[in-house]
Amino acid sequence: MPRRLVALPDGAFEIIEYTPAPLRDSDVRVRVEFGAPKHGTELHVLAGGVAGKKWDADLRMFLPYGEGEEPPAPPAQRGIGNMVVGTVAEVGSAVTRHQVGDRVFGYGALNEFVQGAEPGWWPLGSLSPEDAVCMDPGHVAFVAVRDGNVRIGDDVAVFGLGAIGLLTVQVARASGAKRVFAIDPIPARRAHAEAHGADAAFDPTTGDVALAIKRATGGAGVDVALETSGNARALHEAGRCLRQCGTVVHVPWGPVNSAGLHFDEEWHVNRPRMVFSQAAPYWGNPDRDHPLWDADRAMGAVIDLLRAGTITGQGIVTPVIAFDEAPALLPVLMTDPTRAIKAGVTLS
């Protein structure tokens, strides 16, 4: 029987056998060769999301559970993984775009076989597996840069250099930014940013990073600051390093604890614009430029940038581990940013 990686309610990861669902007429079944989890989002889901509240899609609010209501019990097993690369093993009778033997990539968990509707699979072509699994963080970065309205000649700062942040540096540069500043406490991440589009990288633990950015821009500050880490202090510094009336783009979930964020300081007197970036169909959020842009067009644009080499996942997907090592290593790699940027997993 095929195997899959799952998270258990106690937080442990385990590889188990499973029976694939029957193949529907519109489905493509893929034998997975390579995949990657999405560290921040998956950890948020595993932690239970917004604790003690439920999402009301009609009101678009998180509301407390009513009297007599109980939060749903966590599943006994939850799949782990965000994007996968593999070879088509079987297709449904209505599938026309893919055939057995094609190499493809798409959204899926770290299973030996993943299946899904035909439109959710893209041809791998000349893409490396590392580039392919960076399509999702690349899409988040692409939308964030567009949400910030980064234009040719702008100065930009990117706070947090995980996979999304490092790709944001690259997309901002490709969008015509004059100067890009990258901020992260981990040396390897700063070095990667400087090698892939950042003019300078700063360690926020060694000094006043917003002041350093102001001085690097002749005292003016940046036009757009994009915060990707979910850290309250990083969000505060993103506001401090702006030109007057500049834009902060907030990308991640969080921060849960906002003690380091002070709207009664520079934020209040410099009047920045703050944009929350989350163009996700599963939240019912269209692109800000809808109907000209939607998720399919944005994802296609990111794939084109990856194929052209304008942006790259090379050096971001690190380390790469074997599937059988994943239960022991992934919990550490996903929670210790000094050990990994975006872990990759080989299944063949």
Side-chain angles (χ1 to χ4, degrees), residues 140-150 156-159 168 223-230 234-235 238-239 242 246-252 267 272-278 288:
V140 176
F142 182 85
V143 170
V145 170
R146 287 181 54 82
D147 281 348
N149 196 26
V150 174
V156 173
V158 179
F159 286 78
T168 299
D223 300 278
V224 183
L226 301 104
E227 203 294 294
T228 73
S229 70
L235 183 57
L242 287 176
T247 299
V248 172
V249 181
H250 182 57
V251 180
W267 282 80
R273 175 174 178 258
M274 189 170 182
V275 178
F276 287 79
S277 184
Q278 185 60 262
R288 292 183 188 274

Side-chain angles (χ1 to χ4, degrees), residues 214 235-246 248 260-274:
K214 284 272 189 172
L235 183 57
H236 182 66
E237 295 303 309
R240 291 183 69 230
C241 73
L242 287 176
R243 285 178 178 263
Q244 189 175 10
C245 298
V248 172
L261 178 60
H262 300 285
F263 285 144
D264 56 335
E265 296 181 0
E266 290 89 353
W267 282 80
H268 184 76
V269 296
N270 287 333
R271 298 172 52 222
R273 175 174 178 258
M274 189 170 182

